[in-house]
């Protein structure tokens, strides 16, 4: 054995758990579809509200569906992601079909109200049984399918609190829309649909991403050494 030579250093490996999460901006952009996704998802509803105020229900329905289809086709032609456009088209189509059938313009917003009520209840129920939905959504969309947070009591508590926050905000905003729906305040309902759509969603996403990243980056408290 030779002496005087430094021992060979072994290559360092980076465990999969140490993979860098996408930045906060990247995660927000992915979930919201970027500024273009925000604008495009709102255009069909804006068109419906304006066309309905200026004209009649059925032309407004046709205009909103036509705009939603054009947005989806434009994304396909440009080879851009169409997930947000398809989701928007699907939601607009259901509301438009109901409003067309009943002849009542407020029914255009009914599917969104019912969906919001159901989503808020599911969120709160998942938190109550200690299976927070926000945590599972985080696993799918951000953590590449990993669910190690289930083994971390602090993360379970964090995701439970975030899930309750999402559920309360969701039920509050849909409650405002339901009140306007029952009061037959059609134009105000359209404005509320726009105002209470993406802004609260974006704020909840920001709070969620910031909170989870802060908790995961904080080092665990070291055990106290024996005297």
């Amino acid at each position: 054995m030779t002496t005087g030579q430094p021992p060979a250093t072994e290559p360092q490996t980076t465990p999969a758990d140490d993979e860098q999460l996408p930045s906060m901006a990247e995660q927000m952009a992915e979930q919201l579809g970027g500024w273009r996704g925000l604008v495009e998802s709102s255009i069909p509803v804006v068109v419906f509200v304006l066309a309905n105020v200026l004209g009649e229900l059925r032309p407004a329905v046709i205009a909103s569906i036509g705009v939603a289809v054009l947005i989806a086709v434009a994304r396909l032609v440009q080879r851009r992601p169409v997930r947000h456009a398809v989701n928007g088209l699907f939601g607009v189509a259901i509301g438009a079909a109901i409003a067309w059938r009943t002849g009542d313009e407020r029914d255009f917003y009914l599917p969104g109200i019912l969906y919001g009520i159901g989503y808020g209840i599911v969120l709160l129920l998942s938190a109550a049984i200690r299976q927070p939905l926000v945590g599972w959504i985080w696993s799918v969309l951000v953590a590449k399918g990993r669910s190690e947070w289930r083994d971390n009591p602090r993360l379970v508590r964090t995701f439970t609190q975030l899930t309750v926050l999402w559920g309360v905000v969701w039920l509050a905003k849909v409650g405002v829309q339901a009140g306007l729906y029952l009061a037959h305040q059609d134009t105000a309902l359209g404005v509320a649909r726009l105002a209470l759509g993406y802004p609260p969603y974006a704020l909840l996403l920001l709070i969620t991403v910031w909170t989870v990243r802060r908790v995961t980056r904080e080092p665990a408290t070291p055990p106290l050494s024996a005297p």
Side-chain angles (χ1 to χ4, degrees):
M1 179 177 69
T2 60
T3 59
Q5 295 181 357
T9 59
E10 296 185 3
Q12 296 181 349
T13 58
T14 302
D17 290 343
D18 291 339
E19 292 180 4
Q20 292 293 322
L21 289 174
S23 70
M24 183 179 295
E26 289 172 339
Q27 293 176 43
M28 292 287 292
E30 168 64 21
Q31 297 310 309
L32 294 174
W35 288 111
R36 177 171 176 172
L38 286 172
V39 172
E40 289 178 348
S41 63
S42 302
I43 289 176
V45 179
V46 172
V47 168
F48 177 83
V49 173
L50 294 178
N52 191 54
V53 170
L54 298 175
E56 297 181 352
L57 171 63
R58 294 199 170 185
V61 168
I62 295 172
S64 63
I65 289 291
V67 168
V69 170
L70 286 175
I71 291 173
V73 170
R75 277 191 167 267
L76 282 173
V77 170
Q78 297 170 4
R79 296 186 178 181
R80 292 177 174 269
V82 297
R83 174 166 61 94
H84 297 282
V86 171
N87 290 342
L89 175 59
F90 183 72
V92 169
I94 293 178
I98 296 175
W100 185 284
R101 184 177 182 84
T102 63
D104 191 339
E105 60 193 69
R106 65 186 181 135
D107 286 340
F108 180 83
Y109 310 102
L110 183 58
I113 293 174
L114 297 177
Y115 167 79
I117 293 173
Y119 187 52
I121 292 174
V122 169
L123 283 164
L124 295 181
L125 286 177
S126 72
I129 63 175
R130 303 289 290 175
Q131 295 289 335
L133 184 58
V134 171
W136 291 112
I137 294 174
W138 179 274
S139 293
V140 173
L141 298 180
V142 179
K144 301 179 181 179
R146 301 195 303 271
S147 58
E148 287 85 352
W149 61 271
R150 290 295 305 166
D151 301 322
N152 186 329
R154 189 178 182 193
L155 275 176
V156 172
R157 184 169 59 252
T158 297
F159 278 124
T160 299
Q161 294 169 348
L162 287 169
T163 300
V164 171
L165 175 64
W166 275 77
V168 170
V169 171
W170 220 263
L171 289 177
K173 73 172 192 172
V174 80
V176 172
Q177 296 178 58
L180 293 172
Y181 177 88
L182 295 174
H184 294 265
Q185 298 294 323
D186 303 330
T187 302
L189 178 56
V191 174
R193 166 72 177 272
L194 296 173
L196 298 177
Y198 268 112
Y201 182 52
L203 180 59
L204 286 170
L205 271 178
L206 180 63
I207 293 172
T208 299
V209 172
W210 179 83
T211 301
V212 175
R213 291 175 68 87
R214 179 178 61 83
V215 171
T216 53
R217 284 178 175 175
E218 287 183 357
T221 304
L224 296 175
S225 58

